Amino acid sequence: MNAIPHGDRGRRVHLDTAGLGRMPAAARAQLTEWTRHEDRHGPYEVDEHVHHVVRPELDARLAALLGAPAGDTVLATGAADAFAALVPRLALGPGDRIWTTPYEGVANLTVLTALRDRARCRLEVVPLRPDGDLDLEWMAAHIDDDVALVSVAHVPAGCGIVTPVEDIGRILAPHRCLYAVDASYAVGQLPVDAGRIGCQLLTGDGWRFLRGPESVGFAYLAPELRQALAPYGTGLPALPEGASVVALNAALAVPQDTGPAGGLAAVVRTAVQETPGAELIAPGRVQGGIVTFRHAEMPAGLLRRALAARGVVVGKTVAQQTPLYSPGRKATAAVRVSVHHDNSAWDAARFAEALRQALAGRGRHAAPRAVRAVPPAPAAVAAGSGAAAGLRAVCAGSAAGAGAAPAAGVPRPRRRAGRRHLALVSAPAPDGTA
């Protein structure tokens, strides 16, 4: 349960909202009350309360939050679960193309790869500009009515870049493709307006920047998507539990600061840049409230624990979360700091001091580095591409530099145990090498 006490802020600073937001006291109280009520009286009274009282309020709040018409949102156990339940139902065929990006999360990428294999269609990766932004000119030049689905992460899991989802929507609008936006790491920290974006599917998690309970998320389905899914239905196989729905409704009822948290993130980013041996992972021209970095002499997990020991809670991101984007290709993990509107300048200063203390005696590098520019991503992936060849092609593109021609390859998924996602790992090559 993401119930971190608000008291004694001098003891603990929470800077891991991207992983698990700090639940407001009102939401935490509702979750506790209705969980106890269900334990004492059974689920039926909770279900009736949710159906008759909570859902009308929650639907209205979600509609206002997402800029969507009332009634066009559904609840899910998470954004990835909603995507996995709805997207495979699309009737795609061999003549269709799917677009994704190097910032696609592993769960959605797994779904898209399976859809490609089943429908025998093409899965193409939109290339990046040298500065790390998506190449919108490439998209405008290559879009046609063969593109059936475009999937974009508004803010990826592994870095703070903000994708220009509204600009992409304007490029796609004249064409017949369906547009899906993963807003899991955006909603609650940035304005998210499905109408202005022009997407047909928008998914989000309730436990990150919205600070609701775990295992409750949502999806917006535009009329065009509902029509496309009509033969197969839009129902979701797993729904969040009653007390979690009540708590999310209470979290959304808490007034939110309308100002962006980017100012605090900039302070955190500066602290990282001024740290000898630090490598800031900040592709693109627009950054949000997530700051990701590595250190040359301390592994990310060890540094995260060192910060926690000094009262600063941060997260960790691993390369498998966004397997098509791995800057530097040398480390598999990085520290992820994420600020929320309820963080203060004092919190950012506390992080800077804790980082300095944690790295005392380790900074032998003369100046920090920053990872901003990455080479163009692979532009096209044919159905049936091998996983090992795909991963080698991506790495070859990295080694070739920013001027290299796009290389082909999206890795095939293989299941590996994990708490929250499937890892995309390369299969053994014919000679036995990875």
Side-chain angles (χ1 to χ4, degrees), residues 110-391:
T110 300
V111 172
L112 296 176
T113 307
L115 178 58
R116 175 201 66 184
D117 292 346
R118 175 183 61 78
R120 305 274 181 195
C121 59
R122 297 182 65 192
L123 177 57
E124 300 175 350
V125 180
V126 176
L128 300 180
R129 291 160 37 97
D131 61 9
D133 281 337
L134 290 179
D135 193 337
L136 301 190
E137 293 182 359
W138 184 95
M139 298 182 75
H142 290 80
I143 183 68
D144 59 33
D145 284 340
D146 289 340
V147 179
L149 174 65
V150 177
S151 179
V152 173
H154 194 170
V155 175
C159 60
I161 186 174
V162 179
T163 304
V165 289
E166 294 182 13
D167 293 340
I168 294 173
R170 284 189 284 270
I171 293 172
L172 304 180
H175 302 275
R176 63 107 175 180
C177 66
L178 296 172
Y179 180 23
V181 172
D182 180 0
S184 300
Y185 294 88
V187 65
Q189 70 148 320
L190 300 169
V192 174
D193 190 315
R196 291 177 59 89
I197 293 172
C199 59
Q200 285 72 50
L201 174 64
L202 188 144
T203 55
D205 294 323
W207 61 84
R208 304 188 196 278
F209 290 91
L210 292 178
R211 303 190 300 162
E214 290 188 270
S215 300
V216 56
F218 50 86
Y220 156 73
L221 284 70
E224 304 96 307
L225 180 60
R226 291 179 182 274
Q227 182 178 358
L229 295 177
Y232 315 100
T234 58
L236 300 179
L239 298 176
E241 298 178 357
S244 297
V245 177
V246 178
L248 177 60
N249 184 51
L252 295 185
V254 176
Q256 295 285 336
D257 186 348
T258 57
L264 290 182
V267 174
V268 171
R269 197 172 294 112
T270 299
V272 172
Q273 290 175 316
E274 294 176 348
T275 300
E279 181 185 37
L280 184 67
I281 303 172
R285 291 169 290 180
V286 180
Q287 298 290 311
I290 297 176
V291 180
T292 308
F293 69 97
R294 299 186 293 236
H295 193 270
E297 298 171 15
M298 182 177 276
L302 183 60
L303 181 51
R304 183 194 64 80
R305 292 192 294 273
L307 291 171
R310 290 163 175 81
V312 178
V313 178
V314 300
K316 185 181 77 169
T317 181
V318 295
Q320 290 91 339
Q321 287 183 290
T322 50
L324 297 184
Y325 177 76
S326 181
R329 315 286 178 182
K330 295 178 181 179
T332 59
V335 177
R336 184 179 65 191
V337 184
S338 48
V339 301
H340 190 266
H341 303 295
D342 71 340
N343 287 121
S344 65
W346 185 86
D347 294 340
R350 180 81 183 283
F351 162 79
E353 176 63 16
L355 181 64
R356 185 191 65 78
Q357 294 174 355
L359 294 173
R362 292 178 178 263
R364 294 193 295 270
H365 293 262
R369 296 183 298 152
V371 174
R372 284 193 173 275
V374 294
V381 181
S385 299
L391 287 181

Side-chain angles (χ1 to χ4, degrees), residues 10-57:
R11 184 177 61 86
R12 198 173 198 188
V13 173
H14 187 71
L15 295 175
D16 187 26
T17 304
L20 193 63
R22 183 172 56 184
M23 195 182 302
R28 187 167 63 249
Q30 287 289 293
L31 180 63
T32 302
E33 176 184 346
W34 286 99
T35 298
R36 289 174 176 171
H37 190 95
E38 182 174 1
D39 182 59
R40 293 173 181 173
H41 304 288
Y44 299 108
E45 289 188 24
V46 178
D47 290 343
E48 288 182 356
H49 176 70
V50 168
H51 179 74
H52 294 291
V53 178
V54 176
R55 280 304 301 271
E57 294 180 356

